[in-house]
Each structure stands twice: as structure tokens, then as C-alpha cells.
Amino acid sequence: MAPGEAPEVLDPPSRRTRIRAILDGGKAQAGRRVVVGGWVRAGREQGHGAPDPFAFLDVNDGSCQGNLQLFVKGEVVGYPLARLTATGTSVFVEGVVRRDERAKHGVELAVTRVLEVGEVDAAAYPLPKTKTGHSLDPAYIRDFVHLRARTYLISAVFRIRSELSFATEKYFRDEGFLHVHTPILTTSDCEGAGEMFQVTTLFSQAQKLEAELKENPAPTQADIDAAKIVAKEKGDTVAQLKSAQATKQEISTTVSDLKKAKQDVLAMEERSKLKPGIPRREDGSVAFEKDFFKCPAYLTVSGQLHLETLACALGDVYTFGPTFRAEHSHTSRHLAEFWMVEAEFAFANLQDDMNYAESYVQYLCKWLLDHCQEEIEFMVKSHDKDAMERLKLVSSTPFERISYTKAVEILKDADRKFDNKVEWGIDLASEHERYLTEVVFKKPVIVFNYPKGIKAFYMRLNDDEKRVAAMDVLVPKVGELIGGSQREERLDVLEQRILDAGLPLERYDKYMDLRRYGSVRHSGFGMGLERMILFATGLDNIKDVIAFPRYPGRADL
Amino acid sequence: MAPGEAPEVLDPPSRRTRIRAILDGGKAQAGRRVVVGGWVRAGREQGHGAPDPFAFLDVNDGSCQGNLQLFVKGEVVGYPLARLTATGTSVFVEGVVRRDERAKHGVELAVTRVLEVGEVDAAAYPLPKTKTGHSLDPAYIRDFVHLRARTYLISAVFRIRSELSFATEKYFRDEGFLHVHTPILTTSDCEGAGEMFQVTTLFSQAQKLEAELKENPAPTQADIDAAKIVAKEKGDTVAQLKSAQATKQEISTTVSDLKKAKQDVLAMEERSKLKPGIPRREDGSVAFEKDFFKCPAYLTVSGQLHLETLACALGDVYTFGPTFRAEHSHTSRHLAEFWMVEAEFAFANLQDDMNYAESYVQYLCKWLLDHCQEEIEFMVKSHDKDAMERLKLVSSTPFERISYTKAVEILKDADRKFDNKVEWGIDLASEHERYLTEVVFKKPVIVFNYPKGIKAFYMRLNDDEKRVAAMDVLVPKVGELIGGSQREERLDVLEQRILDAGLPLERYDKYMDLRRYGSVRHSGFGMGLERMILFATGLDNIKDVIAFPRYPGRADL
């Protein structure tokens, strides 16, 4: 039965023009009739109370940094213009583009019809102009993750983020790489990358079981004993019938009764074992074999091992996805969830690795200069005067390449005191990295051939057996931007390195298969997207460059 | 001290040419000297034992469906050619391209130097030619997720997947959308989308605590009592010194001793409360306030609610990322982890939604026809003779659009018996969807205006209050490919719908903020990438179109 027999007609489509298209078109757009929608960033009414009041609304729709100025006459709306002017109000209007020399982009929109308005109670709105203008405090708006993308700052950051994401896809595709997806859920772990989150359904299983047992309690021993008596009686009946030479039919009916009674006993015994709570083994440890994957599963800390399996089949691959660290770090540099670009290439050594890393970073910088001019200019004005120069420098200057040993020598000879002691064998601290790139070389630096003791087991051991073919790309402002290495492709060396690291060989059996069957030299690197955005924008807090930051105690929405 | 003072010189880069470039270039490549690397798919030695043996190797490097034929003379290698011919062997060689009319692409490579070989023990290699040729069983190779990308089938699937990923980025960017990243970890839940995985550090915290307590047991009551006595003694000493009018210095030293003793007691009391195991509240329930995020956190089942917050600031956005379902489904259509494309657009209604969905799907189909000809041809030959025709049909035919009510009428009138009963109000089953698109219309169908009872609370209620502005895109072979809707933008209606769904209003407070502050009409849709690949390839099992399939009991690597 169809309710209501009126034909179901759809509203016509919206045919909205993005503000970017109008502003980019500039004066050539004059005379064009368009429908636009957006949110008021600033509005002012003029001639209030006069017979012909009007309002100017600076409206942004997220498509670009600039606002389109809307000119709205009171007679067009038919209600008080004050309902349009509060920051945050949404407007969906039709109008005609016209030249206006005073407007920033040389044009404004003369509104001829207001299609829809979404009002704002200015007193309640948490992001009024006063809090999001030039005095904006990123920490304040962090509490409003669901609204902050309407601010100049965060919308600029998200456009930069979007362009970096696309540039990444474009770069690797143009270079002939395949985009693959490494898993988020994993039962192996990429040694040393960090603390892992565990993924489980045991809590919800326990909850369901508890509810179920409340509804329908487990049988007691008395219940089971009673069921056993029933079964025994059925058994006796069968025996009696048989000895009385009853008909086949009579016997078979009773046998089937007996079977059922026995099954009931078994089912009750099984059910009586059900215990509320997390399932445990006899020794009291958690029975992860009862979990969804029948073993403990974790969120990935790096897709590298998986990526290697694909590179050793498809040649050149990259993945771009979320990565997780369960570290209790309360710093401006750490997130529990962040996005990583990881690339892996077969038949490639450490120098290939460095070449790809350098050309990728330069590509990203050039891309931003070509596609995010206004956003970077905004960052220069509001947060970091060096942002533009830094992009230009990195996009156009060949990276310095020095060995770790050389880097340590330079740091030892430095005329500055570091908080962290410098000697061969240490992991370089951020202060060291920034000193090298910002003070010594004043450009990006690739440090290579690190001591094996501070790097992961899978990095290829050099002939000196003291160093590994690892490399880090250091850039001004953030220090390490990219980390990579040539991977150990020799089965015997890899085995020894796993054992030396105190790791169980069997966990890496499939990883070693890559070295057993058609092993090839291969290399790769990883870059945290958020770190690249910090580099590009000059922002200091990583929580401001991701839409929904996750860190200890906070996972809003 | 730098170990080894020899200068650290890097090996020269590899300068490999991809096989795709050679095969695409065809005969024009003849005479070119190149370095190539790849894995032998088939090899055969000729003239074994003769003075001048040679071998043909069909080598693939993952860059394309085709193989490059290598011609290797025994004298070039200097060891038995048999070491090169086993399927799976890796070879990294230099050679000269030359015409060969018998070779599939008109060229072969005459090898002049073998740079590296990664041998294979043919007896041990799990993917020899016999198991991966035309008789390939996808289920068999599923146990070798780390090697199966070397097969014709899976490498074709992954190139198709890569192209679909890039086409997605290109489509939305060309349409003016911003690429945003919705979170994977979430504390809200997208109602009804499915069972969720919980993310926790409680197990590892418990494990650490247990280890720590074993190392350093919690103080007993006797320990605490003893510490209290010490504190009391210190207190007495202070009192004595004070009454004896001791020097300020003497008193202050003892007071500070007393303070420390008191702190020790407090610390011991605190520590004595430590209990091994998962932290519990007094009522025995799990104390999730002790978990990493101070509350239960889950893996996302849909980024939609987050995406809406961004669309209501940035206008048009999309996200492309992993999504999770903790359902114990053992079917060929379900995965615990899969990739979803979700798009959301402001100032857009249901018809805009349908227009975007149709144009996106057509774009993907055209893209594959333009970029994966060889892969689709392979699928036609090996798995699904209709794969190419289906892509052509969908890429070029306008989609039929019918209301749900109309769809139900058609199904009721159908001259076929369905397993699932048809009546107004049911959720369409896969058999219904496929009947509509494959049998009735023989092209993609968009069904819109579904009964509100079978759809989520956030879908916009139609004026009849019986239906919601939802739409599903159905395509041949897979049925539902895309699901979308116009969202409820009216605060009062949304509130009522949340209450009607039996959900707590407070959980959706921020979501409702979008309707409080500058609310706008908006719409969106989601598409599972794997389903699109099933559609494109004609494969039947979703486990074969993702690199590392996760399902109940399995999360290999």
C-alpha cells in the first residue's frame, strides 16, 4: 500500500556558483546572474530606520580565502536586515555581479532574492567576529571543532591540507606509483614505532552476555541434574521398548526423544559455564582467542611492512592513511591519530630514496605556491612572516646531503650549547636537527647512514656493520619531516637483526618470505601530513592542522 | 668518535625503466638501452647442455598487465640459467630493446648484464605458475596476502583500485570539493550504521601494572602502619623541638622530614589501592574514565556526521578513508575494514545529491575504460565476460530515477518469486535491487524517497512525514553501490527524529549546533570502494579486492 498517491516530484537542483569562481573571475564576471550560498563573516546595516535601509554582508563559502561582498536592500528581504548581519548567519541568495572599485576583488553581488537564511543568535554563537578576527586564539576555537572551520585561520589550513593531499596523489601518480591501501587493523607490529591502541569487541561481547544472562540466567547444577534424570528416563524407555520388541516406529520415536534430551543436557552444561565479564583463560589472563580476530589486534603505527609486501610485487607503491600512537604525550607535536604518506620502491637504494624524498617535498612546496597563494599570504600576515619565503627556499634549493657522522662533527663544533649532549651514537634531538637546517645550512638537509643502534631492525646494514642505510630529511621550522631507509633484503642479515632486537622470528615469517622468494633491493620513506602542514603554515600546534584532533583525554565527536 | 674514517659514499641511483614505458612505447623503443627489474612469471631455458644455451623470461614489474620478454644468453650470466627461470625469481638487468615480431608487444629485451637475482626455491614457492595461471583459485591465494599481488589477477585488481582512487581525487577536485579527513577514532556514533570496534589501552595498562606490581609489590597494611608510626615519631619530634624552643633551622629540618613522611604514607595508601587487572568502578563496571580518551572510544562506521560539520563551513567536501564494522558476517560481501568515499555538499538538495552520485559513478567508469583497458580485458577473459560491457553501459547511459513507492509496485508486479517478501515499508533486499537494475531497467537505477522507518534519523523528512529524502544508486552485478540523502536541517524536526529513534539528545548536541547557527540545506552520499571494484571487475568475493582483508577470525599480518 503506497501512502499518498500524489506523484513524487523532486525539487529542482540548486545550481549554486562558488564564490571562488566569482572572485577569480573578477570584473569580467560583472553582469552575471548567480545563486550563491555561504556564511556571513561580517555584516553591517546602513540606514536603519530610514525608508531605504540596506546591508553589506561579507560572505564566505569555504571555496577560497576571500569573501564576496553582498549588497542587500531592505525591500528585497521584506524583514529586518538585522536578521542577516550576525556573524555565522547562512545566506542562500540570487543576485547580479557588479563592479565595485571599493570591494577587495573589484566586484560585489547585488542581491535580488533571498532564497534561504539560517539565523544565528549572536549572543550564543561561540565564534563571533570578536573571537575569530585578527586576535584569534587557536586554543580557544579548539573547543569548537564542529564550527571552527568557519574561521579564516582554520579554513585556510584545511584548503592547504586539501591541496597537499591532492598534490601527493598527483606526484606519485605522475611518477608511476600505484596507490595501495595498507591495513589499519593489524596483528603484526612495526617494531619501535610506538605504543599501540588495541582494538576489541570483548567489552561489548561481555555487555551483551551480561544482559542476556540477566534476561535468561545460566542453568544451575540442579537444572542440569533434572535434565539428566529426564535423559536417563528416556534411555530406560528405549531399553524397555527394545527388550519388549516394540515396533521399529515406536523405538525410533523414543530414540529421537532420547537424543534430544541428551543434547539438552550438553547445551545446559555448556551454558552453565558462561561467566559474565571479560572472558578469561584458566590462568586468569584475558582470552583474546574469544575476540573478534581470535587474537589481539591493534591499530597500525606504520604501514611499512605491509607496503613492502606490495612493493615486492607491484614495484612502486604508496599509501596515504591514518596512523595511530597510544602515547600519553601532552605536547604541541603529538597526536594519537594522524595521517601519513608512505612510499616504497623496488629495485631502489638509499640514493633513490633520497632523490624521491627531495623531489616530493619540493613538489609539495611548489604546488602550494601555485595553488594556495592567498592562504599562505594570510598565514604570513597573521601567524608566521616567514611562511612564504620558507616555501620558496625549499621548493627551489637542492637539499644538502651529509652523513650522520659529519652531522655529529658539525654539532660538536657548534658555538652553541644544546640541552641534549652530542656524541656519535645519539639520536638527533629536534634542537640538533633545526640547528643543522636553520643555522648551519639554511636549507633542507638530508642526514644519512645512522648508527644501527638507534634505528629499526629492517634498515639495511652497511658493510661496516655499524651503520644502516637510513636517511632523515630535515627542514626549517619543524626539523625532521621525512624518515626513510633502504630495507634489509638479505635473509640471513635480517634474521640476525630481528634476533638482536629481541623480537620473535616467527612474527616476521611472512616478512622474511619476501627475502626467500625473489628478494630485491628496495627502499622507502614516510612523511606525516600534519608535520608538512606545520612547516607550510608556520603554526605551532599540531591540533590546529587536523579537523578532529585526538590526544590523551580528548576525542571530541 | 666516528667509527671508520673512510668517506661515506652512496651507491649511484638505480635508474630503472618501468616495463610499462617499454611496452607502451612498442617498436619505437627498439635500440634503447635500459635497466629493468621485475619478477619472472614464466621462464624457459633452451639448448640446456649445448655450448650456447639461452633463456626466455616473461618478466612483470607491476607497472602494467603485460610482461616484457627477456632474452638471456648463458654466457651473459656465467652460471646455470636454471637459476633464473623459476616463477617468482626477481631479476634486475641491463639490456637493449629489440624488435621481436613473435613477442606480444612487438619487442623484447636482449639482456647484456644481470645486475642482481633473487632466487626462488621452486619447490617451496607457494605461487608457482601452475597455481596462478588460468586455473587460479582466488581462495587459495588468499592465504598468501603477502605474495598474491604478484599474480595476474590480484595485480590487475590493485591497478584498477589505484586508478579508482586517483579518479576519485580528480573528480572531486575538478568539481571544486575540498579533501578533508574525518576521524577514525570517535566517541560519537553514526546511528544504525553497524556494530563498532572499541579502541582501548586498558589491556596494555593492566599488563604494565601487573608487571610493575610483580617487580615492586603494593604496600601491605603492615607497611602502611609502619610508615604511619614513622610519621607519628617525626610529628612527636617536631612537637618536642617546638616545646624545647629549638632553633628555627632545627625545627624546619624536622618539619620537612615530617612532611616527607606524611607524603610517604599518602603515596603508600594510594599505591595499596592498585589492583591488577582492568580498572573497575565500585559497581564492578569497567572504569573507562581510566582509558586513553577518558571515555569509551570506537572505530568509525561512517564519517558522515563529522563531514557535515565541515560541509557547513567549507561548502563542498569529501573524505576517503577506512571504515569499520564489527559484524560477525562470514559472507563474500562483508569486511571488518573497508574504504569509503563520502561526499557532502552545502546548499544542495536531494536532486543535487543524485546528480553528483550519477556523474561520479559515470566518471569512474569512463576513467577505467580510458586507463585500465588491459586489466578489464583480463577480467573479461578470466572471470567475467560482461565486465567491459557493463562499464560501457554505465558510463554512457543516464540513470533511471524512480521513487521507492514505484519500485515496490514494479517488484510486486514482477513475474518472479523473491525470497524476501515485497511490500511498502520493507528495506529492499539485494535480489530486489538487482532485479530492478539488471532485469527491469537494464541500466543503473536511483531509487529515492524511502519510508522513514527504514532509514536513519538524520535524513530529511518529506512534507508527507512518511518518507525521507534518501536515495540509493543501484547498478548491475552488485545492487546498491551508493547510498545518500538530503540531511535534516531543521532543528525541531531533527530533535524529534533523534528522540523517536530512542537516542539521547545530548550525544548529538554539537551536531544540532549546526542547525542552531547558520543552518543550511545540505546533502551527501557514500560509496564503498570495494563494492565499486567488485562492480568493475566482476569478482564475487570482496576479500579479493583489498590488499589485507579483515574479517572475523582473520587479520593476517
Side-chain angles (χ1 to χ4, degrees):
Chain A
M1 183 216 66
E5 296 304 324
E8 295 169 63
V9 180
L10 291 167
D11 290 335
S14 300
R15 305 206 178 284
R16 178 168 69 97
T17 299
R18 289 205 191 80
I19 287 175
R20 166 170 226 144
I22 298 169
L23 298 187
D24 281 358
K27 292 176 191 170
Q29 296 281 312
R32 190 176 161 199
R33 177 167 291 274
V34 292
V35 170
V36 302
W39 290 266
V40 174
R41 277 194 167 152
R44 55 193 188 282
E45 188 182 346
Q46 293 193 1
H48 181 71
D52 49 358
F54 57 92
F56 288 107
L57 309 175
D58 289 337
V59 172
N60 187 281
D61 68 357
S63 64
C64 58
Q65 193 69 20
N67 303 323
L68 177 64
Q69 179 170 290
L70 266 52
F71 174 78
V72 196
K73 282 188 174 170
E75 65 193 55
V76 167
V77 267
Y79 47 74
L81 285 165
R83 287 172 60 184
L84 300 180
T85 51
T87 296
T89 306
S90 67
V91 290
F92 189 42
V93 302
E94 196 177 309
V96 178
V97 181
R98 68 182 184 196
R99 282 170 179 254
D100 176 14
E101 300 304 331
R102 290 156 306 173
K104 200 179 159 201
H105 294 81
V107 287
E108 66 170 13
L109 188 75
V111 173
T112 54
R113 200 153 62 103
V114 176
L115 305 170
E116 280 169 32
V117 173
E119 291 185 47
V120 154
D121 174 358
Y125 190 52
L127 300 180
K129 206 176 137 192
T130 48
K131 293 202 169 150
T132 58
H134 278 290
S135 61
L136 176 144
D137 174 8
Y140 169 75
I141 61 172
R142 221 171 282 149
D143 282 335
F144 305 95
V145 286
H146 59 309
L147 296 170
R148 67 175 178 163
R150 296 182 184 181
T151 63
Y152 284 95
L153 176 67
I154 301 297
S155 72
V157 169
F158 288 171
R159 277 189 299 280
I160 288 169
R161 188 178 173 106
S162 176
E163 288 299 325
L164 286 172
S165 299
F166 187 75
T168 294
E169 310 289 348
K170 183 103 171 63
Y171 172 80
F172 284 110
R173 189 170 194 279
D174 289 352
E175 290 286 335
F177 283 60
L178 294 181
H179 188 154
V180 298
H181 295 111
T182 50
I184 308 306
L185 299 172
T186 178
T187 50
S188 56
D189 90 286
C190 198
E191 183 260 336
E195 298 268 325
M196 298 177 97
F197 283 105
Q198 191 163 350
V199 173
T200 186
T201 54
L202 288 182
F203 293 122
S204 60
Q205 283 170 231
Q207 219 171 15
K208 266 184 214 148
L209 178 62
E210 263 162 66
E212 209 260 311
L213 285 177
K214 211 169 173 179
E215 185 79 6
N216 183 12
T220 60
Q221 193 53 46
D223 297 332
I224 297 172
D225 291 344
K228 278 182 179 167
I229 291 170
V230 171
K232 185 162 185 312
E233 286 169 359
K234 304 275 180 202
D236 293 347
T237 314
V238 170
Q240 281 161 16
L241 287 174
K242 277 188 178 165
S243 67
Q245 292 187 313
T247 65
K248 234 178 179 173
Q249 162 120 39
E250 273 178 306
I251 296 181
S252 105
T253 310
T254 339
V255 164
S256 115
D257 278 4
L258 170 62
K259 258 193 196 155
K260 200 187 157 301
K262 279 182 174 169
Q263 276 165 1
D264 284 352
V265 171
L266 282 177
M268 287 173 85
E269 282 178 335
E270 201 50 47
R271 229 182 115 69
S272 75
K273 288 183 207 150
L274 289 179
K275 283 195 199 105
I278 307 285
R280 303 269 170 186
R281 302 189 191 110
E282 292 205 348
D283 67 356
S285 60
V286 177
F288 287 115
E289 60 276 14
K290 299 271 171 72
D291 209 341
F292 190 90
F293 293 111
K294 296 197 165 76
C295 65
Y298 303 93
L299 294 181
T300 184
V301 289
S302 161
Q304 189 205 309
L305 302 195
H306 300 94
L307 210 52
E308 281 186 60
T309 70
L310 296 167
C312 291
L314 302 169
D316 303 295
V317 294
Y318 72 104
T319 188
F320 182 21
T323 310
F324 303 85
R325 301 284 151 88
E327 268 144 39
H328 279 272
S329 310
H330 289 271
T331 79
S332 62
R333 306 291 289 278
H334 291 89
L335 288 171
E337 172 180 338
F338 56 97
W339 279 66
M340 275 245 280
V341 177
E342 294 181 276
E344 192 78 27
F345 5 97
F347 306 101
N349 61 22
L350 188 63
Q351 190 157 174
D352 296 302
D353 203 28
M354 288 156 66
N355 291 347
Y356 272 127
E358 177 169 337
S359 100
Y360 171 51
V361 171
Q362 292 200 320
Y363 186 91
L364 293 181
C365 293
K366 274 188 212 116
W367 188 275
L368 287 183
L369 290 170
D370 289 344
H371 296 86
C372 292
Q373 193 77 24
E374 285 194 302
E375 284 76 11
I376 304 295
E377 276 167 13
F378 172 81
M379 297 313 306
V380 167
K381 267 190 300 180
S382 65
H383 284 86
D384 178 11
K385 63 177 176 40
D386 300 326
M388 186 77 77
E389 283 313 309
R390 202 164 51 232
L391 284 172
K392 285 183 182 163
L393 172 81
V394 174
S395 72
S396 60
T397 317
F399 295 7
E400 188 71 33
R401 299 181 182 196
I402 59 170
S403 71
Y404 167 89
T405 303
K406 176 85 183 161
V408 168
E409 278 167 21
I410 293 172
L411 292 169
K412 277 179 153 176
D413 292 345
D415 56 356
R416 104 157 36 175
K417 187 128 184 62
F418 295 109
D419 294 338
N420 301 276
K421 202 184 158 192
V422 176
E423 61 179 12
W424 201 95
I426 62 154
D427 210 353
L428 298 185
S430 183
E431 58 172 343
H432 304 140
E433 294 171 342
R434 294 188 60 172
Y435 177 77
L436 290 169
T437 173
E438 292 172 6
V439 179
V440 180
F441 293 102
K442 297 185 176 62
K443 64 177 170 178
V445 178
I446 306 181
V447 179
F448 60 89
N449 282 354
Y450 281 80
K452 71 171 175 179
I454 56 168
K455 291 288 184 183
F457 72 82
Y458 51 72
M459 300 188 176
R460 193 179 195 280
L461 194 62
N462 287 354
D463 290 344
D464 65 10
E465 298 194 1
K466 289 178 180 138
R467 286 173 272 215
V468 289
M471 66 97 191
D472 284 349
V473 178
L474 317 179
V475 297
K477 176 79 195 169
V478 297
E480 184 191 332
L481 176 64
I482 280 183
S485 72
Q486 182 171 348
R487 319 307 186 185
E488 185 55 73
E489 88 282 10
R490 297 162 294 185
L491 181 62
D492 54 339
V493 183
L494 182 64
E495 259 186 32
Q496 194 53 51
R497 295 271 287 150
I498 291 174
L499 292 172
D500 289 350
L503 296 165
L505 272 186
E506 60 279 13
R507 190 192 294 164
Y508 298 96
D509 193 48
K510 287 188 173 177
Y511 187 62
M512 288 192 293
D513 268 0
L514 301 181
R515 281 75 182 168
R516 290 187 185 108
Y517 306 125
S519 187
V520 298
R521 64 158 85 162
H522 60 288
S523 303
F525 65 75
M527 185 193 83
L529 177 66
E530 286 74 19
R531 202 161 268 205
M532 180 67 206
I533 307 176
L534 290 177
F535 165 81
T537 58
L539 285 171
D540 291 313
N541 196 317
I542 198 164
K543 299 180 181 79
D544 300 324
V545 301
I546 190 165
F548 297 89
R550 272 75 179 97
Y551 46 98
R554 283 301 277 274
D556 288 9
L557 274 180
Chain B
M1 182 218 64
E5 296 302 326
E8 294 170 65
V9 180
L10 292 166
D11 289 335
S14 298
R15 308 206 177 285
R16 178 167 70 99
T17 299
R18 288 202 191 81
I19 287 174
R20 167 171 224 141
I22 298 168
L23 298 187
D24 281 359
K27 292 177 191 168
Q29 296 279 313
R32 192 175 160 201
R33 174 168 292 274
V34 293
V35 171
V36 303
W39 290 266
V40 174
R41 277 193 168 153
R44 56 192 187 282
E45 189 183 343
Q46 292 193 359
H48 181 69
D52 48 357
F54 57 93
F56 288 107
L57 309 175
D58 288 338
V59 171
N60 186 281
D61 67 359
S63 64
C64 58
Q65 193 68 20
N67 304 322
L68 177 64
Q69 179 171 291
L70 266 51
F71 175 79
V72 197
K73 283 190 175 170
E75 66 192 53
V76 167
V77 263
Y79 48 76
L81 284 165
R83 286 172 61 183
L84 300 180
T85 51
T87 296
T89 305
S90 68
V91 289
F92 189 43
V93 301
E94 197 177 310
V96 179
V97 181
R98 67 181 185 197
R99 283 169 179 253
D100 176 13
E101 300 305 331
R102 288 155 308 172
K104 199 179 161 200
H105 294 82
V107 286
E108 67 169 11
L109 188 76
V111 173
T112 55
R113 200 154 62 104
V114 176
L115 305 171
E116 279 168 33
V117 173
E119 291 185 43
V120 154
D121 173 358
Y125 190 53
L127 301 179
K129 207 176 137 193
T130 47
K131 293 203 169 150
T132 58
H134 279 287
S135 62
L136 176 142
D137 174 9
Y140 169 75
I141 61 172
R142 221 171 280 148
D143 282 335
F144 305 95
V145 287
H146 60 308
L147 295 170
R148 67 175 178 162
R150 296 183 185 179
T151 63
Y152 284 95
L153 174 68
I154 300 296
S155 72
V157 168
F158 288 171
R159 276 189 300 278
I160 288 169
R161 187 177 174 108
S162 176
E163 287 300 323
L164 286 172
S165 300
F166 186 75
T168 294
E169 309 289 348
K170 183 104 172 57
Y171 172 81
F172 284 110
R173 188 168 194 279
D174 289 353
E175 289 286 334
F177 282 60
L178 293 182
H179 187 154
V180 299
H181 294 110
T182 50
I184 307 306
L185 299 173
T186 178
T187 50
S188 56
D189 88 286
C190 198
E191 183 260 337
E195 298 269 325
M196 299 176 95
F197 284 103
Q198 190 161 352
V199 173
T200 186
T201 54
L202 288 182
F203 293 122
S204 60
Q205 284 169 231
Q207 217 171 17
K208 267 184 215 146
L209 178 63
E210 263 162 67
E212 209 260 312
L213 285 176
K214 211 167 172 182
E215 184 80 5
N216 182 10
T220 60
Q221 192 54 46
D223 296 332
I224 297 172
D225 290 344
K228 278 184 178 164
I229 291 171
V230 171
K232 182 155 188 315
E233 286 169 359
K234 302 275 180 199
D236 293 347
T237 313
V238 172
Q240 281 161 16
L241 287 173
K242 275 186 180 162
S243 67
Q245 293 188 313
T247 64
K248 236 180 178 169
Q249 160 119 41
E250 272 178 308
I251 295 180
S252 105
T253 309
T254 340
V255 164
S256 115
D257 277 4
L258 171 61
K259 260 192 195 154
K260 198 183 160 300
K262 281 181 172 170
Q263 278 166 0
D264 282 352
V265 171
L266 284 177
M268 286 172 85
E269 283 177 334
E270 202 50 47
R271 230 182 115 69
S272 75
K273 289 183 207 149
L274 289 181
K275 283 192 198 108
I278 306 285
R280 302 269 170 185
R281 301 190 193 110
E282 290 204 350
D283 68 356
S285 59
V286 177
F288 287 115
E289 60 276 14
K290 299 271 170 71
D291 208 342
F292 190 90
F293 293 112
K294 295 198 164 76
C295 65
Y298 303 92
L299 294 182
T300 185
V301 289
S302 161
Q304 188 205 310
L305 302 193
H306 300 94
L307 209 53
E308 281 187 60
T309 71
L310 296 167
C312 290
L314 302 169
D316 304 295
V317 294
Y318 72 104
T319 187
F320 182 20
T323 310
F324 304 85
R325 300 284 150 87
E327 269 145 39
H328 280 272
S329 310
H330 290 272
T331 78
S332 61
R333 306 290 289 276
H334 291 89
L335 288 172
E337 173 180 337
F338 55 97
W339 280 68
M340 275 247 278
V341 177
E342 293 182 276
E344 192 78 26
F345 6 96
F347 306 101
N349 61 23
L350 187 63
Q351 190 158 176
D352 297 301
D353 204 27
M354 288 157 64
N355 291 346
Y356 271 127
E358 177 169 338
S359 99
Y360 171 52
V361 170
Q362 293 200 319
Y363 186 91
L364 293 182
C365 293
K366 274 188 213 116
W367 188 275
L368 287 183
L369 290 170
D370 288 345
H371 295 87
C372 292
Q373 193 77 25
E374 283 194 303
E375 285 77 9
I376 305 295
E377 276 166 13
F378 173 81
M379 297 312 306
V380 167
K381 265 188 302 178
S382 65
H383 284 86
D384 178 11
K385 63 179 175 39
D386 300 325
M388 185 76 77
E389 283 313 308
R390 202 163 52 232
L391 284 172
K392 284 183 183 162
L393 173 81
V394 174
S395 72
S396 60
T397 316
F399 294 9
E400 188 71 32
R401 299 181 183 197
I402 59 169
S403 72
Y404 168 89
T405 302
K406 177 84 182 159
V408 168
E409 279 166 22
I410 293 172
L411 293 169
K412 277 178 152 176
D413 294 344
D415 58 355
R416 102 156 41 175
K417 186 124 187 65
F418 295 111
D419 294 337
N420 301 277
K421 202 184 159 191
V422 176
E423 62 180 10
W424 201 94
I426 62 154
D427 209 353
L428 299 185
S430 183
E431 56 172 344
H432 304 140
E433 294 171 343
R434 293 188 61 173
Y435 178 76
L436 290 169
T437 174
E438 292 172 5
V439 180
V440 181
F441 294 102
K442 297 185 176 62
K443 62 177 170 177
V445 178
I446 307 183
V447 179
F448 61 89
N449 282 355
Y450 281 80
K452 71 171 174 178
I454 57 168
K455 290 289 183 181
F457 72 84
Y458 51 74
M459 300 189 176
R460 193 179 195 278
L461 194 62
N462 287 354
D463 291 343
D464 64 11
E465 298 196 1
K466 289 177 180 138
R467 285 173 271 216
V468 289
M471 65 96 190
D472 285 349
V473 178
L474 318 179
V475 296
K477 176 77 197 170
V478 298
E480 185 193 331
L481 177 62
I482 280 185
S485 73
Q486 184 170 348
R487 320 306 187 184
E488 186 54 75
E489 88 283 10
R490 296 162 296 185
L491 183 62
D492 54 340
V493 183
L494 182 65
E495 257 185 35
Q496 194 52 52
R497 296 271 287 150
I498 292 174
L499 292 172
D500 289 349
L503 296 165
L505 273 185
E506 61 279 10
R507 190 192 294 164
Y508 297 96
D509 193 48
K510 288 189 171 173
Y511 187 62
M512 288 191 293
D513 268 0
L514 301 180
R515 281 74 181 168
R516 291 188 184 105
Y517 306 125
S519 186
V520 299
R521 64 160 84 159
H522 60 289
S523 302
F525 65 74
M527 184 193 84
L529 176 67
E530 285 74 19
R531 203 160 267 207
M532 179 67 205
I533 307 176
L534 290 178
F535 165 80
T537 58
L539 286 171
D540 291 311
N541 197 316
I542 198 165
K543 299 180 182 78
D544 300 325
V545 301
I546 190 165
F548 297 89
R550 271 76 179 98
Y551 46 98
R554 283 301 277 273
D556 289 8
L557 273 182

